[in-house]
Coordinates of all heavy atoms in Angstrom, one line a residue:
G350 N 26.8 5.3 7.0 CA 27.1 6.6 7.7 C 26.1 7.7 7.3 O 25.3 7.6 6.5
T351 N 26.4 8.8 8.0 CA 25.5 10.1 7.8 C 25.6 10.5 6.4 O 24.7 11.1 5.8 CB 25.9 11.1 8.8 OG1 27.2 11.5 8.6 CG2 25.6 10.8 10.2
E352 N 26.9 10.4 5.7 CA 27.0 10.8 4.3 C 26.2 10.0 3.4 O 25.6 10.5 2.5 CB 28.5 10.7 4.0 CG 28.8 11.4 2.8 CD 28.6 13.0 2.7 OE1 28.6 13.6 3.8 OE2 28.4 13.5 1.7
G353 N 26.3 8.7 3.6 CA 25.3 7.9 2.8 C 23.9 8.3 2.9 O 23.1 8.2 1.9
L354 N 23.4 8.5 4.2 CA 22.0 8.9 4.4 C 21.6 10.2 3.7 O 20.6 10.3 3.2 CB 21.6 9.0 5.9 CG 21.2 7.7 6.8 CD1 21.1 8.0 8.1 CD2 20.0 7.1 6.1
K355 N 22.5 11.1 3.8 CA 22.3 12.4 3.1 C 22.2 12.2 1.8 O 21.4 12.9 1.1 CB 23.6 13.3 3.6 CG 23.5 14.7 2.9 CD 24.8 15.6 3.1 CE 24.8 16.9 2.3 NZ 26.0 17.5 2.5
N356 N 23.1 11.4 1.1 CA 23.0 11.1 -0.3 C 21.6 10.5 -0.7 O 21.1 10.8 -1.8 CB 24.2 10.3 -0.9 CG 25.4 11.1 -0.9 OD1 25.5 12.3 -1.2 ND2 26.6 10.5 -0.6
I357 N 21.2 9.7 0.0 CA 20.0 8.8 -0.2 C 18.8 9.8 -0.2 O 17.9 9.7 -1.1 CB 19.8 7.8 0.8 CG1 20.7 6.6 0.6 CG2 18.3 7.2 0.9 CD1 20.7 5.5 1.6
F358 N 18.7 10.7 0.8 CA 17.5 11.6 0.8 C 17.8 13.0 0.0 O 16.7 13.6 -0.2 CB 17.4 12.1 2.4 CG 16.7 11.1 3.1 CD1 17.4 10.1 3.9 CD2 15.4 11.1 3.3 CE1 16.7 9.2 4.7 CE2 14.7 10.1 4.0 CZ 15.5 9.1 4.8
T359 N 18.8 13.1 -0.7 CA 18.9 14.3 -1.5 C 19.2 13.9 -3.1 O 19.4 14.6 -3.8 CB 20.2 15.0 -1.2 OG1 21.3 14.3 -1.1 CG2 19.9 15.7 0.2
H360 N 18.9 12.6 -3.3 CA 19.1 12.0 -4.7 C 17.8 11.1 -5.1 O 17.2 10.6 -4.2 CB 20.4 11.4 -5.0 CG 21.5 12.3 -4.9 ND1 22.2 12.6 -3.7 CD2 22.3 13.0 -5.7 CE1 23.3 13.3 -3.8 NE2 23.2 13.7 -5.1
G361 N 17.6 10.8 -6.4 CA 16.8 9.9 -6.8 C 17.1 8.5 -6.4 O 18.2 8.2 -6.0
F362 N 16.2 7.7 -6.6 CA 16.2 6.2 -6.2 C 17.5 5.4 -6.8 O 18.0 4.6 -6.3 CB 14.9 5.6 -6.5 CG 14.8 4.1 -6.0 CD1 15.0 3.8 -4.6 CD2 14.6 3.1 -6.8 CE1 14.9 2.5 -4.1 CE2 14.5 1.7 -6.4 CZ 14.6 1.5 -5.0
L363 N 17.7 5.7 -8.1 CA 18.7 5.0 -8.9 C 20.2 5.6 -9.0 O 21.0 5.1 -9.5 CB 18.2 4.8 -10.3 CG 17.0 4.0 -10.6 CD1 16.4 4.1 -12.0 CD2 17.1 2.7 -9.9
V364 N 20.3 6.8 -8.3 CA 21.6 7.5 -8.5 C 22.7 6.7 -7.9 O 23.7 6.5 -8.5 CB 21.5 8.9 -7.8 CG1 22.9 9.6 -7.9 CG2 20.6 9.8 -8.5
G365 N 22.4 6.0 -6.9 CA 23.6 5.4 -6.0 C 23.9 4.0 -6.9 O 24.9 3.4 -6.8
Y366 N 23.0 3.6 -7.9 CA 23.2 2.3 -8.7 C 23.8 2.8 -10.0 O 24.8 2.1 -10.4 CB 22.0 1.6 -8.8 CG 21.9 0.4 -9.7 CD1 22.7 -0.7 -9.5 CD2 21.2 0.5 -10.9 CE1 22.8 -1.7 -10.4 CE2 21.3 -0.5 -11.7 CZ 22.2 -1.7 -11.5 OH 22.1 -2.7 -12.4
N367 N 23.1 3.7 -10.7 CA 23.6 4.0 -12.1 C 23.8 5.3 -12.5 O 24.0 5.7 -13.6 CB 22.5 3.3 -13.1 CG 21.1 4.0 -13.0 OD1 20.9 4.9 -12.3 ND2 20.2 3.4 -13.6
G368 N 23.7 6.3 -11.4 CA 24.0 7.7 -11.6 C 22.8 8.4 -12.3 O 23.0 9.6 -12.5
Q369 N 21.7 7.7 -12.4 CA 20.6 8.4 -13.3 C 19.6 9.0 -12.2 O 18.9 8.3 -11.4 CB 19.8 7.5 -14.0 CG 20.6 7.0 -15.3 CD 19.9 6.0 -16.2 OE1 18.6 6.0 -16.1 NE2 20.6 5.3 -17.0
N370 N 19.5 10.3 -12.1 CA 18.8 11.1 -11.1 C 17.4 11.3 -11.7 O 16.9 12.5 -11.9 CB 19.5 12.4 -10.8 CG 18.8 13.0 -9.6 OD1 18.5 12.3 -8.6 ND2 18.7 14.3 -9.4

Side-chain angles (χ1 to χ4, degrees):
T351 55
E352 191 62 28
L354 274 178
K355 178 185 175 183
N356 284 327
I357 286 171
F358 279 93
T359 56
H360 293 86
F362 185 59
L363 296 176
V364 176
Y366 171 66
N367 60 15
Q369 296 182 15
N370 192 37

